[in-house]
Amino acid sequence: MSDTPRTVIVTGAARGIGASVARRLSREGHAIAIIDLDADACQSIVDEIVAEGGTAQGFAADVSDEVSVENAVDAIALTMGPPLVLVNNAGILRDNLLFKMTVDDWDAVMGVHLRGAFLMSRAAQRHMIEARWGRIVNLSSTSALGNRGQANYAAAKAGMQGFTKTLAIELGRYGVTVNAIAPGFIESEMTIGTAARIGISFDDLKSAMVKEIPVGRAGTPDDVSAAVAFFVREDASFVSGQVLYVAGGPRA
Ligand code: NAP
């Protein structure tokens, strides 16, 4: 039995994990609203989905900005139908050891991950409550367990877990499930940027990370989108408030 097609919002979906989630949920039959900072950046994944016979549109929005989020969710509801699935994926890194971390580094990371997930969920939930059906999937990280140089990011990603569990409690009675995925080391622009920042090649970073991963390989965006697809399924309706580590082992 295939699932009912829904309108899905994926934030930060111009590339990386978000683009993979968009592709995967399109193949599952859903219409995809791609949110990213820059409309042009959304176009290639929109074109790719449409070329495969799917439905997708790009919407430029900054998830950390209240007005931008409200406008984007209203525009999506108007042009694509009420969004009943939300994947809070947009993310940034501003890594630094605590003594060198600026207030801007702290605020920027909290703004995109936590404030962003809050604003997007608050805007989308009204459609889910009305439909008495919804799915929210939040991107946490193994860094939530602590990671050197990431006090801001680790705090935000741990915060995503508390946010997830609380929304699961509040929204469950309306048929809305809320879950989180905590990826480990995934090959993407984000981890390519990490290698550049610490001054080593991506291959060297990857082999150092892979040594610590029980399944013996780095993760891919598709490993994460497979887990997102599970939480979105119709028959996952009794799974809520969970954090699924997608890390090739129990943790990074
Ligand atoms: P990525 O390649 O850097 O993609 C993140 C996307 O989010 C980019 O397209 C970025 O746009 C967009 N974005 C940033 N700030 C935004 C904002 N304010 N509003 C809207 N969009 C915004 O990252 P990724 O590796 O795919 O990661 C996706 C998610 O998984 C993030 O939440 C990340 O923390 C999490 N995660 C990743 C890993 C990993 O190893 N890669 C591990 C654990 C968790 P711009 O390019 O314009 O900035």
Side-chain angles (χ1 to χ4, degrees), residues 65-155:
D65 181 89
E66 185 176 12
V67 174
S68 179
V69 164
E70 291 292 328
N71 289 344
V73 173
D74 286 351
I76 290 164
L78 203 67
T79 57
M80 301 184 72
L84 301 188
V85 178
L86 168 65
V87 182
N88 283 310
N89 167 82
I92 59 167
L93 293 179
R94 294 287 184 274
D95 295 355
N96 237 327
L97 291 174
L98 180 63
F99 77 103
K100 287 195 280 191
M101 187 171 285
T102 66
V103 170
D104 281 352
D105 292 334
W106 180 269
D107 288 347
V109 167
M110 293 299 155
V112 176
H113 296 274
L114 275 183
R115 186 180 157 94
F118 156 64
L119 291 172
M120 285 299 310
S121 302
R122 194 183 61 174
Q125 56 82 33
R126 63 178 78 103
H127 299 288
M128 301 178 191
I129 302 295
E130 206 179 310
R132 291 287 194 275
W133 193 94
R135 298 280 185 267
I136 299 176
V137 183
N138 296 318
L139 268 290
S140 176
S141 167
T142 49
S143 293
L145 302 169
N147 200 21
R148 184 179 165 81
Q150 291 196 317
N152 50 1
Y153 185 76

Side-chain angles (χ1 to χ4, degrees), residues 3-6 8 23-32 55:
D3 281 1
T4 309
R6 316 276 183 184
V8 171
R23 234 177 254 122
R24 171 73 192 238
L25 295 181
S26 168
R27 286 174 192 153
E28 309 263 333
H30 303 294
I32 318 294
T55 301

